[in-house]
Amino acid sequence: MTRTGAYGERVAEFLRLEEAPPTLTTGSLRSTKIAVTEARNDNPVPGLSGSFAAEDAYLVSLKLRDYPECEIWEQGRHIKKADVHAGTTYLYDLRVDPRYLINKPFHSLHFYVPRSALDGLADQSGARRIDTLDCSPVGHDDAIVRHIGASLREGLRRPDEANQLFVDHTMLALTAHVAQAYGGFRHKIEGSRGALAPWQLARACDKLEADLSGKLPLEAIAAELGLSASHFSRAFRAATGLPPHRWLLHHRVRTAKRLMSEPGPSLSEVAISAGFANQSHFTRVFSAIAGVSPGAWRHDVLGAAASRER
């Protein structure tokens, strides 16, 4: 059986890497898999890359390292030699067997976006489906792809700390941007459907609070409310001022503050109870939101409580 899905192990085979590179995935558009894979090789064996299985899907590639005189093939034909610069974005149509000559160090992020995800995006918003993406072999100076790539690299480096809600939200944003910038997609304004009903907001918050680890997919929460993942994400932000993944981080911090208001549990115990991957993860997020480290916050609160008792 032909294996599709140009991410993870498929990218390793395509680039002849020794092991599967770090990958994050989401299934928030009709449960269609969208993925990002970080691929790097500082000392490759020269030769032509492998082939992906032909499928109606695209790779959006953010280059993180210069690659001079890159030779590109499509459908078995050499089509171009060009200097590829770090920070540029290229789009590849997987129906035409894109390949390139690997003869120097490389480092890239590869976003796998299947046709079904693009169709799902259009159907969820009531917009017209796009015909195709612009995959001309030129590099794009795309600040949005760079920003999304930088955000996701944190999750790729620390997968145990990756908030699935954040991955879902960010990959939805990437798909919508690619559809708009390279496919002419125009999002249909949803008018009065822009806000969550009070019962929807209450249920969404209950679901988020019940899974402090953030592993519950965005689509699962949205489905309980009868909404698409993209609409739910926008409506939740309109109601709370924060996207779901940021709201969850703030709730984790609120939970940690409640636990640290008592002298019992250690900081590592607080970290796990509040949904953080470890104490280091807890310290970084808490400090960023509260403006002070957990230890300093606890010292001040317990010290103030002791003074009141005297």
Side-chain angles (χ1 to χ4, degrees), residues 302-310:
L302 294 181
S307 296
R308 289 193 298 269
E309 291 176 357
R310 287 198 291 270

Side-chain angles (χ1 to χ4, degrees), residues 105-127:
F106 61 83
H107 188 189
S108 301
L109 289 184
H110 299 287
F111 297 92
Y112 169 70
V113 183
R115 160 67 61 183
S116 54
L118 297 171
D119 289 346
L121 178 71
D123 294 347
Q124 286 183 3
S125 65

